Structure formats: structure tokens, C-alpha cells
């Protein structure tokens, strides 16, 4: 197993009004040894507002390091500029610090710029099938596959003591409905069979719009995680697409067609094979199949971006998070556009400054 620390380069900078900010670029829930990368999270910045895509480990401090929102004041920023959070799927590495954003939020400006909505997949609707010969007891059997709305409600309920201390004792105002969870309204016909066809072919569904962005979603290939979503942000300055976690997906190619930037996950098949050598026991075989079948290999990501016709491909959710940048540059094969191997705190401008 390679344990080389990724060599640092200076983060890319941009003063563009609309830009992509990478807050964390490591893939997976592992606490990587010798990696400088934080957990997966990005932001779409439009002027003085921003939108989070996923909330992996470290997202709060990374928002401040990226100078998003009001970062000069210790008291009121930087969550005053946060409009909404979009969760691609509910794997822990994409969600684990949502709690941190919400729970520490009142001390960092959350809601001061208006109510914040959290959007993500709805209830899976059914447990994944158990491995043959096993019959595990589910966690929380009364609601074993909650979606985003229920997730946010549960966080608020769990930390109500802290919220109420701050609201009642400290006199923080404006908290009525300051945070709400919403399930992305994927049409029912595509959600009918989570264990049979978790990646039905579909066209993007617009579901969120304000004065700065219009956001669309599509289902991607990350079974047994379901629904797993990719998002497209359209702005007056251009468009950014986030793959979320997925194997090669035709739905994603359609979503990304005509966009300016595609932010795509990537995994190194060579590393997976080395870490899970054959013969594999059933547990390791299941992990191996998930890693190579439900993520996108280095050699596949460039041709996908080429087919979508995007001028810039940004790699994130790097597995392993320990590989040096040069090794990921193999993704240029089959892609004629600009390849950026994403680093934490990179900012990439969209359209005019
Ligand atoms: Zn995942």
C-alpha cells in the first residue's frame, strides 16, 4: 500500500464572482495516514453567498480557510454567507460534519443571511439485501433508512439543548426555521426499485432556484447507496457539475453536457487491487467490488468528461488520498480539456471575473 504523502502545491486562486471552491478532496471515511486532504466537501460561490456540496470531515474550518462568507469577524462569520447545503448521498464521509455546521452554526453566523436549507436524497425505502447466510439486526428498525429531511430533523432534536441555551440565554434571534431539511424530489418512477435497478436512466430534474443559482439533480451509480445524486449548478456566469460518488454514469454525462466544469470523483484500481489482494474473503470481496464497481477508475474519468464536452475536469474524492498529484494526471488520457487534480482550497473561476 502506498503511504506517500501528497506533495503540496499552492492552491489555485480566483477573484471571479462565480467560482468553485474545493474544501476537502479526500475520498472515503478512512482517516488517511499522511494525507493533508480533508474530507469531501466543495462550495459554489456566487458573489458574497455560497452553497455547500457535501459536508465531510473538517468542512467548518475549511470554509474559514477558504475565506468564504464574512471571515474577518470572529463572531458572525463565515456561515452568514451560506445559502444552502446539497448532499450527494448519505455515506458518512459526505455527511459527518453536517452536524458540525448545524450544531456550531449559531456561533458562526448560521442563518444570519436568511434561512438555510439542506437538500439531499430521500428515504431509501428498503434495507439493502443482507449477505447470503446472514440476517443482521438493523439499526433503528422503526426508521432504518432515513433521508435528508429526517436526518436534519434528528440533528436538531438531538442538539436541542445547545440550540435552546443559545436562543434563550444568549438571545440569538432569527432562529425560527433557520435550518430545514428537504428530500430532493426525484420522480417516484425512478425510486421504485432500490435493490433491483438503483441507476435507472433518467434526465436531470431541476429542484432548487434562487436569484443566483438553479440546481438540478440526477441519479448516479453508487449501489447499494440509494438514492445517490449528482448536481448541476447553473449561474449567470456558467455551470458546475458535481458527480458525487458514482461508477461511470450515462445520467451524469447528460447532466454535465454543456457545463463549464465537471467535478468528478476518482479511484485508483491499482491501489484497490494491491490493498485487497486475491483470494479475498466474502467481506473483502464485497468491499473490493464496491470500490471498483461503484466508483470511477482513473482510466474511465477522462473519456467520460470528453463525451460530456466539458472544458475543465476537476478530480476530487481521491481514493487513495495519499497518492501524489502526478499519479492522478493519468486521467488526462482520453480527455482533451484542462485537467485539475483537485487540492484542498483550490478556487477555480467560472466565466467573467
Ligand atoms: Zn459514497
Amino acid at each position: 500500500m502506498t503511504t506517500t504523502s501528497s506533495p503540496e502545491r499552492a492552491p489555485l486562486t480566483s477573484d471571479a464572482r462565480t467560482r468553485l471552491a474545493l474544501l476537502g478532496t479526500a475520498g472515503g471515511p478512512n482517516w488517511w495516514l499522511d494525507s493533508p486532504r480533508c474530507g469531501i466537501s466543495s462550495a459554489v460561490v456566487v458573489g458574497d453567498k455560497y452553497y455547500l456540496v457535501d459536508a465531510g470531515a473538517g468542512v467548518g474550518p475549511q470554509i474559514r480557510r477558504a475565506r468564504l462568507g464574512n471571515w474577518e469577524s470572529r463572531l458572525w462569520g463565515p456561515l452568514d454567507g451560506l445559502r444552502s447545503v446539497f448532499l450527494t448521498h448519505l455515506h458518512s464521509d459526505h455527511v459527518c460534519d453536517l452536524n458540525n455546521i448545524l450544531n456550531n452554526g449559531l456561533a458562526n453566523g448560521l442563518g444570519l443571511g436568511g434561512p438555510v436549507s439542506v437538500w439531499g436524497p430521500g428515504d431509501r425505502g428498503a434495507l439493502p439485501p443482507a449477505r447470503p447466510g446472514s440476517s443482521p439486526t438493523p439499526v433503528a428498525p422503526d426508521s432504518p433508512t432515513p433521508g435528508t429531511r429526517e436526518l436534519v430533523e434528528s440533528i436538531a432534536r438531538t442538539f436541542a439543548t445547545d440550540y435552546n441555551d443559545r436562543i434563550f440565554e444568549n438571545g440569538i434571534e432569527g432562529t425560527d426555521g433557520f435550518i430545514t431539511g428537504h428530500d430532493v424530489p426525484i420522480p417516484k418512477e425512478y425510486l421504485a426499485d432500490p435493490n433491483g435497478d438503483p441507476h435507472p436512466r433518467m434526465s436531470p430534474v431541476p429542484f432548487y432556484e434562487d436569484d443566483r443559482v438553479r440546481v438540478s439533480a440526477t441519479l448516479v451509480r453508487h449501489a447499494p447507496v440509494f438514492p445517490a445524486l449528482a448536481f448541476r449548478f447553473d449561474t449567470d456566469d456558467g455551470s458546475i457539475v458535481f458527480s458525487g460518488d458514482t461508477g461511470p454514469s450515462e445520467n451524469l454525462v447528460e447532466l454535465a453536457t454543456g457545463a463549464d466544469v465537471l467535478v468528478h470523483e476518482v479511484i485508483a484500481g491499482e491501489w484497490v487491487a494491491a490493498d485487497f489482494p486475491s483470494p479475498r474473503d466474502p467481506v473483502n470481496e464485497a468491499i473490493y467490488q464496491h470500490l471498483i464497481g461503484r466508483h470511477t477508475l482513473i482510466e474511465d474519468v477522462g473519456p467520460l468528461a470528453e463525451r460530456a464536452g466539458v472544458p475543465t475536469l476537476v478530480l476530487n474524492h481521491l481514493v487513495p488520498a495519499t497518492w501524489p498529484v502526478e499519479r492522478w494526471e493519468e486521467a488526462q488520457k482520453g480527455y482533451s480539456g484542462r485537467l485539475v487534480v483537485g487540492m484542498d482550497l483550490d478556487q477555480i473561476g467560472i466565466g467573467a471575473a
Side-chain angles (χ1 to χ4, degrees):
M1 176 172 139
T2 306
T3 55
T4 315
S5 179
S6 301
E8 291 286 2
R9 60 164 166 74
L12 302 175
T13 59
S14 170
D15 293 327
R17 183 180 77 121
T18 299
R19 57 193 193 276
L20 163 70
L22 301 181
L23 302 175
T25 55
N30 317 70
W31 292 329
W32 295 98
L33 183 66
D34 294 331
S35 172
R37 300 178 184 276
C38 287
I40 191 72
S41 182
S42 307
V44 173
V45 183
V46 184
D48 61 353
K49 302 295 182 187
Y50 62 96
Y51 306 79
L52 282 182
V53 178
D54 290 326
V59 61
Q62 290 295 85
I63 289 171
R64 186 173 288 282
R65 292 189 188 107
R67 304 291 192 253
L68 306 185
N70 177 6
W71 53 274
E72 293 178 345
S73 160
R74 284 184 55 80
L75 191 55
W76 297 120
L79 296 178
D80 54 337
L82 175 63
R83 274 271 174 92
S84 297
V85 182
F86 298 85
L87 304 174
T88 58
H89 62 296
L90 301 185
H91 256 161
S92 57
D93 53 321
H94 295 249
V95 177
C96 63
D97 271 6
L98 175 65
N99 159 62
N100 201 0
I101 295 282
L102 304 188
N103 195 21
N104 288 325
L106 290 182
N108 290 284
L110 186 70
L112 287 180
V116 171
S117 51
V118 181
W119 291 84
D123 192 316
R124 189 179 193 278
L127 284 164
R131 192 167 300 128
S134 70
S135 52
T137 303
V139 173
D142 58 319
S143 181
T145 56
T148 302
R149 180 188 56 75
E150 191 175 343
L151 174 76
V152 172
E153 286 175 3
S154 298
I155 291 174
R157 180 173 293 276
T158 299
F159 295 106
T161 298
D162 177 81
Y163 289 137
N164 287 326
D165 276 351
R166 296 183 193 284
I167 292 167
F168 282 79
E169 183 184 356
N170 298 1
I172 293 177
E173 296 180 349
T175 53
D176 281 353
F178 73 107
I179 187 81
T180 53
H182 305 268
D183 298 341
V184 172
I186 298 296
K188 280 194 172 59
E189 62 261 37
Y190 302 117
L191 303 177
D193 194 7
N195 292 329
D197 184 9
H199 182 241
R201 189 75 179 87
M202 64 175 286
S203 291
V205 176
F207 67 93
Y208 176 97
E209 185 165 4
D210 63 21
D211 60 332
R212 303 185 190 214
V213 301
R214 188 174 70 253
V215 187
S216 307
T218 199
L219 287 168
V220 289
R221 186 189 301 275
H222 196 44
V225 175
F226 183 83
L229 303 173
F231 295 124
R232 175 175 175 136
F233 289 73
D234 291 303
T235 75
D236 288 348
D237 297 310
S239 304
I240 307 173
V241 170
F242 296 86
S243 71
D245 283 13
T246 182
S249 165
E250 287 304 309
N251 290 347
L252 177 65
V253 171
E254 181 179 347
L255 184 75
T257 297
D260 297 272
V261 174
L262 171 60
V263 185
H264 204 296
E265 69 120 91
V266 67
I267 192 168
E270 179 187 334
W271 175 84
V272 179
D275 233 35
F276 295 89
S278 57
R280 290 177 281 273
D281 63 28
V283 171
N284 279 323
E285 180 64 25
I287 298 171
Y288 175 80
Q289 292 298 337
H290 176 83
L291 289 173
I292 64 163
R294 302 297 183 256
H295 292 279
T296 301
L297 300 170
I298 299 177
E299 54 269 35
D300 292 333
V301 67
L304 281 167
E306 187 75 15
R307 286 178 51 220
V310 290
T312 299
L313 169 62
V314 178
L315 301 183
N316 77 345
H317 198 278
L318 304 171
V319 177
T322 48
W323 265 21
V325 165
E326 307 90 79
R327 298 197 68 170
W328 297 108
E329 288 172 348
E330 292 173 31
Q332 188 73 65
K333 283 181 192 159
Y335 178 56
S336 58
R338 174 194 182 200
L339 174 71
V340 176
V341 179
M343 297 282 291
D344 291 14
L345 304 180
D346 277 348
Q347 301 215 17
I348 297 167
I350 310 295

